[in-house]
Amino acid sequence: MNFQTNELTQQVAQVARDFAVKHIRPHVMEWDETQHFPIETMKAMGELGLMGIFVPEQYGGSGFGYHEYATAIVEIAKVCGSVGLSLAAHNSLCTGHILYCGSEAQKQKYLPKLASGEWIGAWGLTEPNTGSDAGNMKTTAVKDGDDWILNGTKCWITHGISGDVAVVIARTGEPRTSGNATAFIVERETPGFKAGKKENKLGMRASETAEMIFDNCRISDAQRIGEVGDGFRQALKVLDGGRISIAALSLGIAKGAYEAALNYSKERQQFDQPISNFQGISFKLADMATEIAAAELLIAKAADLKNRGEKVTEAGAMAKYYASEIAVKISNDAVQIFGGYGYTKDFPVEKFYRDSKLCTIGEGTSEIQKIVIAREVLK
């Protein structure tokens, strides 16, 4: 693997960094306090090519690879984890599912709108009683002539209210049987498709999380993605790549917290010297820097495998597991370095701390990542 950052990746990093500083940083706490989902900011990222960063140019995307994608998420998340999360969910889940598994007609119809930011995407797998146990989902799709009728509720959905289009995995067979789920594309204005409760969250408050409800929602068979019964296999493929983006999100949060703590430790004086001179602080900073470097390498490895079209299940799970856990640890240590100030909203580290926890839960908990990794190493 080549460890040298290429010019394109550097350019993407600079574009994302400049955008975050100018258009996101001034509003971070306001959006967090009010749980405001900044749709216009998302659309502006589309104008820069960040909403379809790995979508081929023929479908209106930027046509970049996973190194550039991960880099963009890191730079956005260093400023605001919420916007980084929404960027990741839009790209990896909804857009990625259609790109990897959709028909040519579906790609031509939806990818240009998603890649430009004209439309915001959502992706629905999780349900109130089926999180990791997705094979027992209650949302069903029943064939009716040339149509399908969807009934059920999806929860914890990023952009569940504001998403213009959603990829939804519904059960088309008996519970807990092989090949019992199918993926569908559902547009927001489809009768019977409505938004439910918006969640009031600990962190990631500017990234909209809500229910999607289907009540006799009728869609054409043309909205089906792939073969009947192939939905769960598709979802696992999508999540393999999606976990790289959550690893990048975690890394961005960790870097933001670390850089804030590092700068503060040089400025904060105690006993007539910067607190960075004290071993208790300097050792924390040493651990942070090392953990960030290790997470970067795991993400780079997974991104490299993804770019080359190789299997990324183990590498993606490792990157997501490790990066998300160290994001929590580093954010916690950053609050400690700030002391009492770290516990206030006048300084950025309390938000990094709150945002970081979601990374160990979303797109497969840390416990699920261990199961995935164990299965791979024990094969």
Side-chain angles (χ1 to χ4, degrees):
M1 186 170 66
N2 185 353
F3 292 95
Q4 185 174 358
T5 304
N6 63 40
E7 185 177 350
L8 176 60
T9 305
Q10 293 173 347
Q11 290 174 348
V12 170
Q14 191 64 55
V15 166
R17 189 180 305 124
D18 291 345
F19 181 89
V21 169
K22 183 177 181 180
H23 298 286
I24 299 174
R25 179 165 287 158
H27 310 289
V28 167
M29 291 313 298
E30 173 197 349
W31 292 346
D32 182 75
E33 293 284 348
T34 61
Q35 295 197 82
H36 171 70
F37 175 49
I39 295 176
E40 293 308 314
T41 302
M42 299 291 291
K43 293 184 180 297
M45 288 195 291
E47 294 173 6
L48 291 177
L50 299 179
M51 295 287 274
I53 199 161
F54 55 74
V55 173
E57 292 182 35
Q58 70 188 88
Y59 301 118
S62 299
F64 298 156
Y66 255 70
H67 290 298
E68 291 73 35
Y69 175 43
T71 297
I73 293 175
V74 168
E75 293 299 331
I76 297 295
K78 279 170 64 176
V79 173
C80 181
S82 294
V83 180
L85 172 62
S86 280
L87 181 65
H90 171 90
N91 274 287
S92 289
L93 300 181
C94 181
T95 305
H97 198 138
I98 295 171
L99 174 64
Y100 299 136
C101 307
S103 67
E104 184 61 29
Q106 289 168 342
K107 293 177 186 178
Q108 291 182 6
K109 180 177 181 180
Y110 292 107
L111 291 181
K113 292 182 178 180
L114 290 165
S116 68
E118 178 186 350
W119 278 18
I120 292 172
W123 192 79
L125 175 65
T126 303
E127 299 182 1
N129 294 310
T130 56
S132 302
D133 184 18
N136 195 34
M137 69 178 69
K138 300 296 188 290
T139 298
T140 60
V142 178
K143 193 79 184 301
D144 184 33
D146 293 330
D147 296 337
W148 292 86
I149 300 176
L150 273 63
N151 280 288
T153 299
K154 297 292 182 179
C155 67
W156 311 115
I157 307 304
T158 306
H159 314 146
I161 296 171
S162 300
D164 299 282
V165 63
V167 173
V168 181
I169 294 88
R171 184 164 54 80
T172 50
E174 293 301 315
R176 301 197 186 284
T177 58
S178 178
N180 70 345
T182 304
F184 300 90
I185 302 172
V186 189
E187 296 181 21
R188 174 61 61 181
E189 300 304 320
T190 307
F193 176 25
K194 62 182 180 180
K197 173 189 175 185
K198 180 178 178 179
E199 303 297 341
N200 186 8
K201 300 175 297 188
L202 168 72
M204 301 290 194
R205 290 168 60 83
S207 179
E208 179 186 275
T209 305
E211 293 176 325
M212 296 193 303
I213 299 171
F214 303 92
D215 183 8
N216 290 319
C217 178
R218 182 180 291 270
I219 57 173
S220 166
D221 188 56
Q223 300 302 103
R224 171 172 50 83
I225 302 179
E227 299 299 323
V228 174
D230 202 30
F232 195 56
R233 185 194 66 80
Q234 293 176 14
L236 292 176
K237 179 180 179 180
V238 170
L239 287 170
D240 275 350
R243 285 166 181 160
I244 301 173
S245 70
I246 301 302
L249 174 66
S250 305
L251 177 61
I253 292 170
K255 281 191 169 187
Y258 164 70
E259 290 174 8
L262 178 65
N263 292 332
Y264 181 80
S265 73
K266 296 175 181 178
E267 298 167 358
R268 173 69 168 170
Q269 294 272 330
Q270 290 289 278
F271 304 100
D272 302 319
Q273 58 184 309
I275 63 172
S276 58
N277 286 356
F278 301 114
Q279 191 176 81
I281 301 299
S282 65
F283 278 17
K284 273 185 168 56
L285 295 169
D287 284 341
M288 290 171 159
T290 302
E291 288 157 353
I292 284 171
E296 285 180 319
L297 290 172
L298 285 169
I299 293 167
K301 177 183 178 181
D304 183 59
L305 290 171
K306 183 71 174 174
N307 283 343
R308 291 193 274 118
E310 297 187 21
K311 187 176 180 182
V312 75
T313 302
E314 180 182 319
M318 285 182 171
K320 196 270 189 189
Y321 168 53
Y322 183 77
S324 65
E325 292 291 336
I326 64 104
V328 175
K329 179 180 179 296
I330 287 172
S331 299
N332 178 57
D333 285 344
V335 172
Q336 196 72 17
I337 288 171
F338 270 78
Y341 292 114
Y343 204 66
T344 72
K345 293 183 181 295
D346 295 326
F347 292 85
V349 289
E350 67 86 27
K351 182 177 183 296
F352 288 124
Y353 186 39
R354 288 186 288 111
D355 286 348
S356 67
K357 188 57 195 171
L358 185 276
C359 298
T360 69
I361 299 169
E363 293 198 34
T365 62
S366 291
E367 291 74 19
I368 288 295
Q369 303 314 312
K370 291 183 186 181
I371 290 173
V372 172
I373 295 165
R375 284 175 178 169
E376 292 298 312
V377 300
L378 291 170
K379 281 183 177 178

